[in-house]
Amino acid sequence: MKATATAHPNIALVKYWGKRDDELNLPATGSISLTLEGLSTTTTVDFDDRLDCDVVALDGEPLDHGRPYRRVVAFLDLVRKAAGIDRFARVETANDFPTASGLASSASGFAALATASAAAAGLDWSRPRLSALARRGSGSAARSLFGGFAEMYPGTRSDGRDAHAVEIADADHWQLRCLIALTTGKQKSVGSTPGMQRTRDTSPYFPAWCDTVDGDLRAAREAIEHRDFEQLGTVAERSCLRMHASALSADPGVLYWNGTTVELMHRIRAFRTRGVECFFTIDAGPHVKVFCTVDHLQRLRSMLQKFDGVSKVLCARPGRGARLADAASQPPG
Ligand code: PMV
């Protein structure tokens, strides 16, 4: 009853921001992302009948019984219930990139946890079903079950079974690159769940934000299909800025950016006017993710490395979906 899985974070090009159901973690709208290899989470789950509580270690450090631990235990409870088992588990998880800073560590974390815990519990589930399970841990994690470009369906069922991601183009479809400019070492001030709740409950712009998403999903699907960089950049920056506009107009406003974040947005746009193929996106944190074509990678990377306020630049490429370490027993479909 032991399994190990690896998953990568994904970065949304059409953002998810707001839930239609808090309990089942159902998104209010769809979203589209790119799964990124070069950053990974590896998680081992061992259901062991000698344990008298779940034991969780993150990056080698045992977790105390605070919120991150309780999220993992609540997730394991779902798996135990589905598998009809009552054993506690030992969970060891490690990220090779900064945790909880707006770098989508919860996406790769819950995608790896869903894949490893379901296999360890003997559940032979399809990828869409594992994706819906991963969603219970973190909405964006549902997309990391898939490689390349993934689309999350918000679904219409009240039980959430149709709220899962699908792959819309695999990792080899389009050789984009994503540079991640870290603008702080600090953990984010408002998590995505409270940030979304406050936006939904208090922002006068939240309904308007939701109304824009379907059009952006259509435009992004089309841009991906035709590998139209300019169109994808237009949609992605628009979706990012509208998501943040809805959050900024909550009460009190949810502000994830620092000064460097804003300076970088200006710099990316200035580069683009000089013919460099690039666009930015920003999640629930101050880091800036810059997508570019392979041809312009080196020029952008050296600009970002020298940029005042940027502490580190990570580089990622389109990656595979979550998978078990044991290659012979990958989730089907
Ligand atoms: O999956 P969560 O709850 O961490 O929310 C992710 C929210 C954003 O990263 C800001 C947008 C997205 O679609 O990934």
Side-chain angles (χ1 to χ4, degrees):
M1 300 202 78
K2 182 174 176 182
T4 298
T6 295
H8 305 295
N10 66 77
I11 304 295
L13 298 159
V14 176
K15 301 292 184 197
Y16 146 56
W17 194 251
K19 303 181 199 292
R20 70 178 165 93
D21 182 297
D22 293 339
E23 174 66 26
L24 293 175
N25 207 21
L26 297 173
T29 61
S31 54
I32 288 181
S33 61
L34 182 62
T35 298
L36 295 176
E37 204 142 328
L39 313 172
S40 11
T41 301
T42 297
T43 300
T44 299
V45 178
D46 184 5
F47 288 102
D48 183 340
D49 58 7
R50 290 166 303 180
L51 295 172
D52 49 23
C53 71
D54 291 314
V55 179
V56 184
L58 173 61
D59 293 330
E61 294 290 321
L63 287 187
D64 61 22
H65 289 201
R67 189 173 130 75
Y69 173 84
R70 291 198 305 273
R71 278 179 83 183
V72 173
V73 171
F75 192 86
L76 292 170
D77 285 342
L78 298 172
V79 175
R80 280 188 278 257
K81 193 171 168 209
I85 58 172
D86 57 6
R87 291 182 187 190
F88 291 109
R90 191 174 300 102
V91 177
E92 279 167 26
T93 187
N95 290 328
D96 62 4
F97 60 95
T99 301
S101 56
L103 264 192
S105 57
S106 68
S108 52
F110 280 104
L113 183 62
T115 308
S117 60
L123 297 171
D124 187 20
W125 283 5
S126 68
R127 269 180 201 275
R129 198 157 178 203
L130 289 172
S131 167
L133 171 68
R135 187 204 74 232
R136 298 290 297 271
S138 152
S140 53
R143 299 184 308 236
S144 278
L145 258 296
F146 296 91
F149 293 90
E151 175 164 357
M152 178 73 193
Y153 295 147
T156 52
R157 292 174 61 116
S158 55
D159 65 6
R161 271 171 55 186
D162 56 352
H164 60 77
V166 295
E167 183 181 290
I168 55 175
D170 70 19
D172 297 326
H173 172 70
W174 194 1
Q175 280 309 306
L176 295 180
R177 291 293 180 269
C178 180
L179 290 161
I180 299 170
L182 302 185
T183 63
T184 177
K186 289 193 216 133
Q187 297 220 342
K188 61 187 165 192
S189 53
V190 183
S192 55
T193 297
M196 284 184 205
Q197 271 161 356
R198 199 192 301 168
T199 304
R200 181 192 60 198
D201 296 343
T202 66
S203 170
Y205 302 160
F206 182 69
W209 148 251
C210 291
D211 287 346
T212 65
V213 177
D214 278 348
D216 284 349
L217 290 171
R218 266 194 304 278
R221 269 185 231 118
E222 197 181 281
I224 291 164
E225 187 188 343
H226 299 112
R227 299 186 192 87
D228 183 335
F229 190 86
E230 197 182 326
Q231 182 169 333
L232 187 62
T234 302
V235 179
E237 285 194 5
R238 182 169 77 204
S239 176
C240 160
L241 292 173
R242 285 177 176 166
M243 171 206 126
H244 283 276
S246 73
L248 286 164
S249 56
D251 190 13
V254 182
L255 172 56
Y256 288 112
W257 304 340
N258 60 30
T260 308
T261 318
V262 178
E263 293 295 340
L264 274 173
M265 289 191 260
H266 288 298
R267 180 63 66 88
I268 294 305
R269 288 189 159 180
F271 259 57
R272 201 158 60 228
T273 59
R274 282 185 252 138
V276 179
E277 286 183 309
C278 57
F279 62 84
F280 65 77
T281 189
I282 302 149
D283 293 300
H287 309 305
V288 179
K289 287 97 183 194
V290 182
F291 283 83
C292 63
T293 53
V294 174
D295 290 350
H296 295 114
L297 179 67
Q298 290 318 334
R299 198 161 157 204
L300 279 158
R301 196 206 296 246
S302 52
M303 179 277 282
L304 292 171
Q305 277 165 341
K306 284 182 274 185
F307 203 88
D308 228 11
V310 171
S311 53
K312 197 171 181 178
V313 180
L314 308 173
C315 181
R317 60 182 184 285
R320 290 167 288 165
R323 56 204 177 271
L324 290 165
D326 171 7
S329 52
Q330 295 308 330

